[in-house]
Amino acid sequence: MHEQLQTVLSGRSSAITIEGGSAVLDLAPFIDAAKQRLVASGFAAAARIPEIHPTVELIPASYLVQAQTAYRVLDAAATWLPWFTLLILVGGVLLARRRSRAVVAIGLGVMGVMVLFAVALLVARGLL
C-alpha cells in the first residue's frame, strides 16, 4: 500500500491520471491481472476477454496536485533536514559553556523525542 501511494504521489503512476478536472483510476491493469490469474488457474476462455480501459473517478484533480506538491516538498526536506538538525546540535554543543552537560542534555532530549514518537506510533497503529 505504501509503495503504491508513493508511486501516485511522486507522479510515476500510469494507472492514475488527471482527466477533465478529476483524478481517475484506469482499471485495465487490474483486469489484465485478473485475466492472467484466471488463465493460470486453467480457465483458458479468459484469454479471449478483450482489452478495455474503464476508469473510475477518484477525487478532484486539485486535491491530487496539492498532495503531490506537499510530497515533493516533504521529500526534499527529508534530504536536508536531518543534516540541518545535526548541525544545530553540534553548534549547540560547541557554543555551550559546559560541553559535557550539553551532550548529556542533547542525548536525553533525543531519547525523549524517540520515546514520544514510539508511543505516538503505537497509538496511531491501534487507531488504524
Side-chain angles (χ1 to χ4, degrees):
M1 176 73 173
H2 175 76
E3 292 174 7
Q4 289 89 355
L5 181 62
Q6 188 175 8
T7 302
V8 169
L9 290 176
S10 66
R12 293 177 291 171
S13 174
S14 61
I16 296 180
T17 57
I18 295 176
E19 294 177 9
S22 296
V24 295
L25 173 65
D26 183 10
L27 297 176
F30 303 104
I31 294 170
D32 289 339
K35 285 188 336 188
Q36 290 174 3
R37 289 185 71 183
L38 286 170
V39 170
S41 67
F43 187 64
R48 293 185 304 217
I49 297 174
E51 183 176 329
I52 57 173
H53 288 274
T55 59
V56 175
E57 185 176 321
L58 298 175
I59 57 174
S62 62
Y63 292 164
L64 180 61
V65 171
Q66 288 175 352
Q68 287 176 336
T69 302
Y71 175 81
R72 281 192 294 273
V73 168
L74 290 173
D75 191 43
T79 301
W80 58 264
L81 195 57
W83 296 108
F84 180 70
T85 304
L86 184 63
L87 181 68
I88 296 257
L89 293 176
V90 169
V93 169
L94 293 177
L95 293 175
R97 290 183 187 172
R98 296 183 178 155
R99 290 185 179 160
S100 60
R101 184 177 285 183
V103 169
V104 169
I106 287 173
L108 290 174
V110 168
M111 184 181 68
V113 169
M114 290 175 70
V115 168
L116 182 68
F117 280 147
V119 169
L121 184 61
L122 288 173
V123 169
R125 281 185 180 170
L127 292 175
L128 294 176

